[in-house]
Amino acid sequence: MFDWDKWQEIITSLRKQKLRTGLTAFGVFWGIFMLVILLGFGTGFGTKIENIFGDAKSVILFWPSNNTQLEYKGLGKGRMITFTPADVEAIRQSIPGVQLIDGKNNLGNWGAAQYVVYGKESGSFAVMGTHQGWEAFEFIKLIEGRYINDLDEKEKRKIAVIGTRVQEVLFKNGKNPIGESIDINGVKFKIVGISRSKEPGDNGQQNNSRIYIPNETLRQAFNQMDSFQILFFSPKPGVNPFDLERDVKKFLYERKKIHPDDSGVIGGFNMEQNYQENRGLINGILGFSWMVAIGTIIAGVIGVGNIMLVVVKERTREIGLRKAMGATPTNISLMIIHESLVITLIAGYAGLVAGVLLLEGIRTLLVNLGQGDGIFASPYIDINIALLALAVLVITGVLAALLPAMKAASVNPITALQDE
């Protein structure tokens, strides 16, 4: 049953030392507040990284890098290595750890900008080949229309998905690009979709300035049927991406008759390494956040313990009088613990609410400023973690009050009543 007199007594006791109680409560408030803010940005950063990488986090890329520098098996040096559809099929059949593999082509070297025309407007944009379901590998998301499908590739349809920057340059009058045709190096392509990059910064701007067309269409329309510029492949679940990278490279070296010591002939990039580096950064941020917040919380809890010791000392006569009138040591201890609980609970909850409101305000501000796709643009706090931190804070606050509570319970009523 709720005892209003008891809680009124606790509040009155705390009001007697407003400054001291306020400073102690602020230490608790600041600990939870800092935890929410730091974890909010760290968690938001982690979520953004996961969204950027998506299914592409373990993708591996290979490309012909240099001509051979060493003679091998009767073949001279200086040979140029190319990847063919036969190589893709051979890897698919021979390397059991491969889940997905395909080739990719671009117009120009490494997707150099191509001249693109729509009506009286024109611009230079990278033109990339792609496949069905490859939005994640291109680090883009579709915002209108559709993406390349399997039938587009089989029938080698002349269709295109354009980035938002391409739309801005070629369709300045605000006309919807879907269904319109653009001219790429003299070949007409019908726009079926508009994409936006999932990456922030310069990479995002590059992705938004690209045009994606079916890879088979690109190979046929621009005379690249004999080879792929890049090989994309990914491991099956449970297969180590770095082991798979090594196995596929070894297979290609043997298949292309490249000397094992002839390094640099095949270039490669393992997305897993980049992903792990970012995950390590995220874990470091979260770990630092917990360290700072826990240190602040401990300082606040120590402050609660200290103020309770002072309260016990100042109320020695009162405690002695209570015991003389029949109050048990348990009653005295609970009185002190309740006061500690009030400070930690109110201050901790206030810090939690203030932190969440600030995170929401920052997120809204960044969205209004057009920075909604930035790395730190979506800070948020997992409410379960926040409530767990608050619960830990309350428990530690109670534990901090145990020593003062035991001291109060051990007060001798006769000695206390003689205390001045």
Side-chain angles (χ1 to χ4, degrees):
M1 185 175 179
F2 184 78
D3 189 344
W4 170 246
D5 289 337
K6 182 200 299 184
W7 289 102
Q8 191 173 32
E9 182 182 338
I10 291 173
I11 294 172
T12 301
S13 173
L14 294 176
R15 281 179 173 176
K16 288 180 179 179
Q17 296 293 339
K18 293 181 181 179
L19 178 61
R20 187 168 57 200
T21 302
L23 292 176
T24 303
F26 180 77
V28 176
F29 167 90
W30 190 251
I32 288 291
F33 178 79
M34 289 298 296
L35 178 63
V36 170
I37 296 300
L38 293 173
L39 286 183
F41 278 99
T43 305
F45 176 55
T47 301
K48 186 67 176 181
I49 291 298
E50 292 294 336
N51 291 337
I52 289 174
F53 281 91
D55 295 335
K57 61 172 62 77
S58 58
V59 165
I60 303 161
L61 288 70
F62 278 169
W63 60 86
S65 182
N66 290 306
N67 294 344
T68 59
Q69 301 297 312
L70 299 174
E71 297 178 357
Y72 189 60
K73 292 187 177 180
L75 299 175
K77 60 183 180 179
R79 289 180 294 127
M80 178 176 289
I81 301 300
T82 58
F83 298 143
T84 67
D87 295 328
V88 171
E89 188 59 32
I91 293 171
R92 186 179 288 118
Q93 297 297 327
S94 303
I95 309 295
V98 171
Q99 181 179 42
L100 175 148
I101 182 166
D102 215 325
K104 175 180 168 68
N105 296 69
N106 305 317
L107 280 188
N109 293 327
W110 290 99
Q114 307 296 308
Y115 189 61
V116 181
V117 178
Y118 170 73
K120 296 182 179 180
E121 304 294 341
S122 62
S124 295
F125 308 102
V127 180
M128 326 286 287
T130 189
H131 300 280
Q132 177 185 9
W134 273 36
E135 298 98 312
F137 301 153
E138 307 290 359
F139 296 103
I140 60 173
K141 57 184 177 183
L142 205 65
I143 61 173
E144 191 173 346
R146 68 173 180 86
Y147 199 64
I148 310 301
N149 60 39
D150 187 56
L151 201 57
D152 294 330
E153 291 208 80
K154 288 180 178 178
E155 297 183 359
K156 299 179 176 62
R157 294 174 177 174
K158 293 182 175 63
I159 56 101
V161 174
I162 64 172
T164 52
R165 177 57 183 165
V166 180
Q167 178 186 11
E168 292 172 3
V169 173
L170 298 184
F171 298 88
K172 295 179 180 178
N173 57 3
K175 185 175 183 179
N176 191 338
I178 304 297
E180 299 297 317
S181 294
I182 55 177
D183 185 299
I184 303 175
N185 287 358
V187 181
K188 295 288 186 181
F189 286 82
K190 182 179 179 179
I191 299 173
V192 297
I194 303 172
S195 66
R196 175 180 291 135
S197 176
K198 295 196 298 183
E199 296 185 276
D202 292 340
N203 288 340
Q205 294 179 12
Q206 291 177 7
N207 290 344
N208 290 332
S209 299
R210 289 174 176 171
I211 300 172
Y212 300 92
I213 65 178
N215 201 71
E216 291 304 301
T217 305
L218 186 152
R219 294 176 67 212
Q220 183 180 65
F222 299 102
N223 195 29
Q224 295 187 24
M225 291 300 294
D226 58 335
S227 65
F228 293 123
Q229 293 177 356
I230 305 173
L231 290 186
F232 271 66
F233 58 97
S234 64
K236 291 180 178 178
V239 176
N240 187 296
F242 300 103
D243 292 341
L244 182 64
E245 178 184 13
R246 180 200 62 218
D247 293 343
V248 173
K249 192 168 189 177
K250 181 180 179 181
F251 177 81
L252 287 172
Y253 262 61
E254 293 173 352
R255 181 176 172 84
K256 298 295 184 180
K257 295 182 173 58
I258 305 171
H259 194 287
D261 296 331
D262 199 352
S263 61
V265 178
I266 296 177
F269 178 75
N270 195 323
M271 198 72 69
E272 181 72 20
Q273 181 174 354
N274 195 6
Y275 172 72
Q276 292 297 340
E277 289 173 354
N278 280 278
R279 281 304 321 173
L281 177 60
I282 294 167
N283 292 336
I285 291 174
L286 294 177
F288 175 76
S289 301
W290 276 106
M291 264 182 21
V292 171
I294 288 175
T296 309
I297 288 173
I298 289 175
V301 167
I302 292 174
V304 172
N306 287 336
I307 195 175
M308 289 299 103
L309 284 172
V310 174
V311 167
V312 170
K313 182 175 179 59
E314 291 179 347
R315 297 172 64 184
T316 301
R317 285 178 59 83
E318 176 191 336
I319 293 171
L321 181 60
R322 286 174 180 269
K323 295 187 75 174
M325 294 176 65
T328 66
T330 300
N331 295 140
I332 300 299
S333 297
L334 287 177
M335 179 185 68
I336 301 300
I337 291 175
H338 284 159
E339 292 187 15
S340 172
L341 186 61
V342 168
I343 295 175
T344 53
L345 188 58
I346 294 177
Y349 184 74
L352 175 63
V353 172
V356 171
L357 290 178
L358 181 59
L359 287 179
E360 183 61 24
I362 292 173
R363 188 191 67 79
T364 302
L365 178 62
L366 290 174
V367 170
N368 292 337
L369 292 176
Q371 302 297 319
D373 289 331
I375 283 291
F376 293 103
S378 301
Y380 77 96
I381 182 69
D382 187 329
I383 192 64
N384 292 325
I385 293 179
L387 292 177
L388 174 62
L390 184 57
V392 170
L393 173 64
V394 172
I395 292 171
T396 52
V398 172
L399 292 176
L402 286 181
L403 179 61
M406 287 188 294
K407 184 175 180 180
S410 64
V411 169
N412 187 306
I414 298 176
T415 303
L417 291 173
Q418 295 175 348
D419 185 67
E420 296 297 332

